[in-house]
Amino acid sequence: MSGFRFPVSRLPDEALLSGLATGDPELADTFVHRFQHRVYGVAMAVTRDQQLAQDVAQLTFERAWRHAQIYDSRRGSVATWLTTIAHNLAVDAVRARRTEPMASEDLDALLDAVTATPEQWALADEASSQLRAAVARLPREQARALVMAGIYGLTAQQIAEREGIPLGTAKTRVRAAMAKLRTTLASPQRGDHVQ
């Protein structure tokens, strides 16, 4: 047998994830190096805080290590799976830190982070790209209401209070945004237009 060994850095993502699950230090190190910038980029885009983004990135790799055995390639690539974990942890971290109402300019920045940021390349999964594009095409008021309800988990009453609008208007905005997204994402053109 020759001493030829396939370079670890050229292994497919799935093989590195398997190595991470088994605790192989070389494969785990290569896995982290391959995805660290992408994971940190997602965390930073959502949290807009370097320390919090670093914490989220660390938690992302810990969660990937603990749950590597449940990864299912039929549901998306390793990169998509990992960046989805990072995104969800970042959103949770922002929610946990938020104790006072969000300023309008901060919500606009978050909306921009969800629709047009480095997250686009990190969450390159076709479905998430289509969803971000559809949200970006919504009227700004509807998109803001949707983000407050969907990402921050606010009720229509809380949205109305934060936006300074009647409760019925808040409900209408969320409902209209959801209906437009459903129509856009269900259409054969997959988001060619939103009315």
Side-chain angles (χ1 to χ4, degrees):
M1 176 186 256
S2 72
F4 176 78
R5 183 170 176 218
F6 193 77
V8 173
S9 62
R10 293 180 45 200
L11 286 173
D13 296 345
E14 291 82 5
L16 290 178
L17 182 60
S18 296
L20 180 70
T22 63
D24 182 296
E26 185 179 13
L27 294 177
D29 188 50
T30 303
F31 181 83
V32 170
H33 283 301
R34 184 173 291 176
F35 294 106
Q36 68 185 358
H37 294 300
R38 188 176 304 187
V39 167
Y40 178 77
V42 169
M44 190 64 186
V46 174
T47 66
R48 299 195 182 272
D49 177 289
Q50 286 184 333
Q51 184 58 51
L52 188 56
Q54 290 172 0
D55 293 345
V56 166
Q58 176 73 31
L59 287 171
T60 299
F61 286 111
E62 288 174 14
R63 185 160 296 172
W65 169 66
R66 283 195 317 267
H67 300 289
Q69 69 279 2
I70 63 169
Y71 165 73
D72 182 358
S73 62
R74 295 172 295 183
R75 297 183 66 199
S77 69
V78 171
T80 299
W81 178 72
L82 191 62
T83 54
T84 300
I85 292 171
H87 181 266
N88 292 341
L89 288 172
V91 168
D92 290 346
V94 169
R95 281 182 185 161
R97 276 191 155 185
R98 182 90 30 216
T99 56
E100 73 275 349
M102 178 175 275
S104 295
E105 59 275 4
D106 292 340
L107 184 58
D108 287 336
L110 178 64
L111 187 56
D112 290 339
V114 173
T115 60
T117 67
E119 213 172 9
Q120 287 180 335
W121 61 266
L123 295 173
D125 177 70
E126 182 181 339
S128 64
S129 295
Q130 291 170 348
L131 178 60
R132 281 193 315 275
V135 170
R137 287 191 299 267
L138 289 173
R140 195 72 173 176
E141 297 80 23
Q142 290 177 6
R144 286 172 55 88
L146 183 69
V147 167
M148 284 190 275
I151 293 180
Y152 287 101
L154 299 182
T155 65
Q157 182 64 46
Q158 292 168 321
I159 294 169
E161 290 168 5
R162 296 213 174 139
E163 294 287 284
I165 57 176
L167 175 60
T169 302
K171 289 179 179 180
T172 299
R173 287 180 182 177
V174 173
R175 213 174 12 251
M178 291 300 296
K180 287 178 183 178
L181 286 181
R182 262 188 236 105
T183 301
T184 299
L185 297 174
S187 71
Q189 295 81 21
R190 290 235 159 194
D192 285 347
H193 70 286
V194 176
Q195 297 185 14

